[in-house]
Amino acid sequence: MTTTRDGLLTAAAAAFDRDGYVRATIDDVCDRAGVTKGALYGHFSSKKALAVAVLDRQAREWAKNREHLQRVHRSPLQVMVDLGYLVNQDRAVVQRLLFQAPICDDVADRQIAQWTSTVRDLLRTADYRGELRDDLDLEACADAVIAALVGVHLMSMAVEHPDGVLRQVAGVWRIWLPALARPEVCATLRVEPPRKFRV
């Protein structure tokens, strides 16, 4: 069952996606959700609080997807690859809030730290399983992988067709996986997007 709060978050995500943070209005969010301003302010103290909640919901979904992928894939490196595509699945909202709205700068730091921590954990697991090349600095590798994926986010603001973003993410993995994984492991990994993300 969808709650009023969930409906507001969905409506806000659509409004921020269409208009960006600055131009999106509380009135528009309320109209989309079919609620009054009083109902909105019963859940969120401000437009910024609403934007932060949208980003937090997206981060929770990403964490749930990570758990699902870890059940599906044997290799933590394949989990990392698919998470790279998942981050870009909601790129319109993330771009307009996380990377463009100065009011959400503090949230960007927190979310990027979460992504980096996730990649670091997956790399450590892959290292424990003997999947990685010897003598890698896993901290530096995690930072660099996230920097590359964030770069794709920023570049994709100029790309109209989502398939272009998928090609850019695949390019990140074609460069990074051979640098990280042992050749015999790299040969088993899919660098293309999962079928459900293909356009």
Side-chain angles (χ1 to χ4, degrees):
M1 184 175 82
T2 301
T3 65
T4 300
R5 189 178 192 279
D6 290 336
L8 284 164
L9 290 174
T10 299
F16 293 139
D17 183 4
R18 189 189 72 193
D19 299 327
Y21 178 82
V22 174
R23 288 181 32 218
T25 67
I26 292 294
D27 286 336
D28 186 30
V29 172
C30 290
D31 288 346
R32 285 173 179 268
V35 302
T36 65
K37 280 187 182 179
L40 183 144
Y41 286 119
H43 292 277
F44 305 102
S45 60
S46 64
K47 186 166 78 167
K48 178 181 179 181
L50 185 59
V52 169
V54 168
L55 289 169
D56 284 346
R57 181 173 76 165
Q58 190 265 351
R60 285 193 302 276
E61 285 300 312
W62 196 65
K64 280 197 276 189
N65 282 317
R66 173 192 173 179
E67 292 173 8
H68 168 74
L69 289 169
Q70 286 177 306
R71 290 191 299 271
V72 170
H73 296 309
R74 182 181 173 276
S75 172
L77 294 175
Q78 190 65 65
V79 173
M80 183 177 73
V81 167
D82 286 357
L83 282 173
Y85 289 106
L86 277 170
V87 168
N88 278 280
Q89 186 181 25
D90 296 323
R91 75 185 198 286
V93 172
V94 172
Q95 285 168 6
R96 289 186 176 257
L97 294 177
L98 200 60
F99 296 127
Q100 288 187 344
I103 201 164
C104 294
D105 282 349
D106 55 333
V107 180
D109 288 345
R110 181 164 36 102
Q111 191 142 4
I112 290 171
Q114 179 194 10
W115 294 342
T116 305
S117 175
T118 297
V119 169
R120 188 183 311 114
D121 289 348
L122 291 168
L123 289 175
R124 284 178 180 154
T125 303
D127 190 42
Y128 177 77
R129 294 168 59 112
E131 295 184 11
L132 298 186
R133 292 179 175 274
D134 293 332
D135 301 322
L136 291 176
D137 181 337
L138 299 187
E139 297 282 331
C141 289
D143 288 343
V145 166
I146 291 301
L149 291 173
V150 169
V152 168
H153 263 302
L154 296 173
M155 287 176 61
S156 71
M157 292 179 193
V159 175
E160 291 297 322
H161 198 278
D163 193 38
V165 177
L166 297 181
R167 280 194 301 272
Q168 290 174 11
V169 175
V172 167
W173 296 129
R174 283 193 192 95
I175 291 167
W176 272 104
L177 288 177
L180 295 169
R182 293 182 182 278
E184 64 274 18
V185 174
C186 197
T188 69
L189 299 172
R190 171 184 38 75
V191 298
E192 298 300 323
R195 186 173 302 278
K196 67 179 179 176
F197 296 125
R198 294 176 194 168
V199 178

